[in-house]
Amino acid sequence: MSLDRPLTRNVRADKSPTDMAAYEANGGYQGLRAAMGKLSPGDCLQIIKDSNLRGRGGAGFPTGMKWSFVPMENVSTGHKYLICNADEMEPGAFKDRLLLECDPHQLIEGMILSAYTIQADVAYIFIRAEYLLAADLLRQAIADCHAKGYLGKNILGSDFSLEMHVHPSAGRYICGEETALISALEGKRANPRAKPPFPQVSGLWGRPTIVNNVETLCNIHHIIERGADWFQSLGLTEDAGTKMYGVSGRVKNPGCWELPIGTPIREILENYAGGMEDGYKMRGFLPGGGSTDFLVEEHLDLAMDYDTIGKAGSRMGTGTMIILDDKTCPVGFVKNLVEFFAQESCGFCTPCRDGLPWSAQVLDDLERGRGRPEDLETLARQVSFIGAMGNTHCALAPGAMEPLASGLKYFRDDFERHISEGGCSFHTGGVS
Amino acid sequence: MSELIPALSEAEIAAIDAELSHVPVPAGAAIDALKIVQAHRGWISDESLNAIAKHLGMSAAELDGIATFYTLIFRRPVGEKVILLCNSVTCWMKGCDALQQTITEQLGIGMGETTTDNKYTLLPMTCLGACDKAPVMMVGDDLHEEITAQSLQALFSNAGSGGET
């Protein structure tokens, strides 16, 4: 059981946190003890590469490959940094909160081994300010690790040393973008940076830096301890490992579950989320948070993995699905998301700063009965300008266009009816 | 040192200086310094902003650019507890707009306003990461899940009426 669901093996029914004693009693820090002195950083990197672990923050980039760009030889004196991205703010995402609040030591053990692999000497957990309980638990866990010799100078008698800090954010969704996060840690406005240079080479304070999501880092000690083959065997499809899947909206049992990666969407929705609430039908869903394209009924039997969802025209993203039901207005749903992204734009790149409020304005006009026949053409044009990768430093604006572009495709009748009927016939949420 | 920047207390300066050891340049502690002063005073006044900027050796305009970027740095006074009502998509589907109306009726404040007794400030908040328990909000440090008009009535029943003047 625990081998099949490594990430949630310590998660209790009442969601109470697992402390150092309980974590160690269940085999915690054995991965760290096994690695220190026996595995070289290169050995650890090879295991992670072989495991085919892909970033769980949403982009799905192979973790081992990301780490392999960190310079390991002839590095001038100075720090190397590992940063945990715990700035969970994607609309519909609530998976990292569970991992942070229920098993903080799992993240810290994963971070120590990750830092060892890239030979980072300073680690930060950048956590959104509202996750107060998680931040307190992490600070306690870090203190407990110092007492045990798992953090600090010469960890477990090795020549590896690591300091770890919890750094609460001051707000803003954009801080979850890795280069924006680095700007925020440097005390600046959280503007994303143009790449290259990539953070692996020039990140925090111009030093080599790796930024990984909470769930990604939580996997690391399990993989180091049990091996790449074991991790590969957990997945049902080409992808490896398990995934934290979530469902929110009008389902009977909204929640978050660790399941083999590649579990069919229908199984997640029906067996775990309990199907739709009585009186509601599903019209579509965003598979991986607010910045992913709608999928619909015909996609329910697809496997929830990176490539399958990508081929269907969307992204697995965070793996936390948002369900659009038949009593919620698709135009209002998209408008809520586009307004969110317009508000959360850092304002640096023109298509994002000026384009997203324009899209939000057109959608607001449709909702309020001020829509004009040419508005749908305008929205389609905005999708092509704002949604194109490469026009902006980061993926916020293209992500914002995903629910709009796919909404226009799957719910075009609703958009047209807002114009022909002079407004919105739904009453969910309402227009304030 | 402190007599040159009377807008900051000894305790605030000590806390800011402790942060300076973690950053290669003083301006790197800008956000930390804003958070420290806000923790002491509840918000960042122009006077505080100027004093922090001076202490960190940066321009007040640059620091204000940082302060106004972040949603949880307050450049206006807020009440004893800030209500952060989630208005992202799942909470929107579950009726957060109507709940906002309920709060407004009960406390007599709209978005961005503070009750006259200075107890509460109401602000919109992006997804709070508890979508399985939508609709949600935070009041001060506490997360409130699956809120309803009834639970709001109970929560704020002792709150004095009226922010309207």
Side-chain angles (χ1 to χ4, degrees):
Chain A
M1 168 70 187
S2 65
L3 280 179
D4 295 342
R5 303 281 191 274
L7 300 178
T8 50
R9 64 204 291 261
N10 290 325
V11 175
R12 301 166 180 148
D14 67 356
K15 307 276 168 74
S16 61
T18 301
D19 64 9
M20 174 67 92
Y23 184 71
E24 290 202 298
N26 203 15
Y29 291 109
Q30 289 307 313
L32 179 66
R33 290 178 178 278
M36 284 294 142
K38 297 199 188 102
L39 296 175
S40 70
D43 293 337
C44 292
L45 178 62
Q46 195 58 49
I47 293 170
I48 298 303
K49 274 185 175 170
D50 291 344
S51 76
N52 194 28
L53 172 65
R54 297 173 69 172
R56 301 298 198 235
F61 192 82
T63 305
M65 191 188 292
K66 189 179 204 178
W67 291 2
S68 71
F69 297 127
V70 175
M72 296 300 285
E73 285 165 20
N74 302 320
V75 184
S76 58
T77 51
H79 296 299
K80 280 202 263 183
Y81 297 101
L82 173 76
I83 301 171
C84 170
N85 186 346
D87 195 41
E88 181 168 65
M89 287 184 84
E90 179 76 12
F94 51 99
K95 67 184 182 69
D96 295 337
R97 183 198 276 272
L98 182 81
L99 296 171
L100 293 163
E101 291 183 353
C102 296
D103 200 6
H105 281 285
Q106 171 172 247
L107 171 65
I108 289 173
E109 185 175 7
M111 287 184 70
I112 299 168
L113 283 166
S114 303
Y116 174 71
T117 305
I118 61 166
Q119 291 288 291
D121 60 331
V122 181
Y124 288 98
I125 301 170
F126 187 94
I127 186 166
R128 67 176 300 182
E130 296 85 352
Y131 282 11
L132 292 157
L133 170 63
D136 283 346
L137 292 169
L138 289 165
R139 286 191 195 96
Q140 182 62 50
I142 288 170
D144 292 346
C145 282
H146 275 282
K148 287 263 184 180
Y150 300 153
L151 278 173
K153 290 263 177 233
N154 302 109
I155 292 171
L156 294 174
S158 70
D159 59 1
F160 176 63
S161 301
L162 178 67
E163 290 299 325
M164 192 177 289
H165 308 284
V166 176
H167 187 103
S169 175
R172 294 304 286 274
Y173 168 77
I174 194 61
C175 294
E177 200 277 343
E178 66 173 0
T179 62
L181 189 159
I182 289 168
S183 296
L185 264 182
E186 292 180 358
K188 301 171 181 149
R189 289 168 72 96
N191 295 113
R193 302 172 179 183
K195 299 184 225 181
F198 289 89
Q200 292 96 319
V201 178
S202 179
L204 185 62
W205 308 114
R207 301 294 305 170
T209 303
I210 284 288
V211 183
N212 282 135
N213 168 259
V214 170
E215 186 183 347
T216 309
L217 291 165
C218 285
N219 273 293
I220 300 300
H221 90 80
H222 299 291
I223 299 172
I224 301 274
E225 205 176 326
R226 302 198 176 90
D229 289 344
W230 164 80
F231 191 70
Q232 297 254 14
S233 74
L234 294 178
L236 299 180
T237 54
E238 293 288 294
D239 277 316
T242 60
K243 179 78 193 73
M244 299 299 294
Y245 292 116
V247 179
S248 70
R250 295 283 180 190
V251 292
K252 287 198 179 101
N253 181 35
C256 182
W257 311 273
E258 181 187 17
L259 298 170
I261 203 162
T263 298
I265 296 165
R266 190 186 297 279
E267 192 178 324
I268 299 169
L269 287 180
E270 293 179 2
N271 298 5
Y272 293 90
M276 297 300 290
E277 267 181 40
D278 294 336
Y280 290 89
K281 289 199 178 90
M282 190 195 81
R283 289 196 69 193
F285 59 96
L286 305 181
S291 60
T292 61
D293 283 273
F294 278 105
L295 294 178
V296 292
E297 180 90 33
E298 68 189 74
H299 301 112
L300 284 180
D301 291 311
L302 295 179
M304 264 295 263
D305 68 27
Y306 295 102
D307 294 342
T308 308
I309 301 301
K311 280 182 196 140
S314 186
R315 295 186 300 118
M316 184 165 81
T318 57
T320 45
M321 299 181 241
I322 309 166
I323 311 299
L324 170 68
D325 61 74
D326 63 337
K327 293 189 170 62
T328 296
C329 173
V331 178
F333 185 103
V334 170
K335 181 190 127 172
N336 176 282
L337 288 165
V338 173
E339 284 178 342
F340 165 85
F341 289 110
Q343 174 189 300
E344 296 303 319
S345 170
C346 84
F348 191 86
C349 305
T350 306
C352 185
R353 179 190 63 240
D354 292 347
L356 294 182
W358 184 19
S359 299
Q361 181 63 54
V362 174
L363 291 165
D364 190 55
D365 285 346
L366 293 180
E367 281 284 89
R368 289 171 189 273
R370 296 194 298 250
R372 299 164 304 171
E374 61 267 33
D375 281 349
L376 300 192
E377 183 56 35
T378 303
L379 287 171
R381 215 149 27 101
Q382 290 169 345
V383 166
S384 71
F385 291 146
I386 303 167
M389 294 298 271
N391 286 349
T392 48
H393 277 180
C394 82
L396 185 143
M401 290 295 101
E402 291 182 26
L404 175 57
S406 52
L408 284 167
K409 176 178 164 191
Y410 291 117
F411 310 113
R412 194 166 188 89
D413 288 355
D414 291 272
F415 281 81
E416 287 173 347
R417 221 167 29 249
H418 276 67
I419 296 167
S420 62
E421 295 177 2
C424 182
S425 57
F426 292 87
H427 299 288
T428 314
V431 182
S432 54
Chain B
M1 203 41 213
S2 62
E3 63 272 16
L4 299 176
I5 36 175
L8 297 181
S9 69
E10 296 284 353
E12 287 165 330
I13 290 170
I16 293 169
D17 288 350
E19 294 296 329
L20 293 179
S21 63
H22 297 298
V23 290
V25 292
I31 300 169
D32 298 303
L34 290 165
K35 286 198 285 196
I36 286 164
V37 174
Q38 181 164 293
H40 280 84
R41 294 162 194 252
W43 67 296
I44 303 295
S45 65
D46 288 352
E47 190 188 34
S48 297
L49 186 95
N50 288 326
I52 297 167
K54 197 167 183 181
H55 192 64
L56 298 179
M58 60 197 297
S59 80
E62 188 185 359
L63 185 63
D64 205 12
I66 294 163
T68 54
F69 185 90
Y70 292 98
T71 38
L72 297 172
I73 301 294
F74 304 128
R75 285 287 277 115
R76 284 196 289 165
V78 292
E80 289 163 32
K81 287 186 176 176
V82 176
I83 302 168
L84 301 173
L85 180 67
C86 178
N87 64 4
S88 288
V89 68
T90 302
C91 285
W92 174 77
M93 286 193 287
K94 296 274 183 104
C96 66
D97 287 351
L99 293 169
Q100 180 190 326
Q101 197 53 44
T102 304
I103 295 172
T104 293
E105 283 163 15
Q106 254 193 296
L107 298 180
I109 49 170
M111 277 296 176
E113 295 177 352
T114 301
T115 53
T116 47
D117 62 3
N118 208 37
K119 281 227 165 23
Y120 297 104
T121 296
L122 177 61
L123 294 176
M125 180 39 68
T126 52
C127 187
L128 279 169
C131 318
D132 52 338
K133 306 290 184 196
V136 297
M137 67 176 179
M138 289 187 76
V139 180
D141 290 349
D142 300 322
L143 179 70
H144 295 261
E145 300 174 333
E146 294 174 333
I147 48 175
T148 61
Q150 291 72 27
S151 70
L152 288 173
Q153 299 280 357
L155 188 65
F156 296 125
S157 60
N158 292 325
S161 65
E164 281 160 322
T165 49

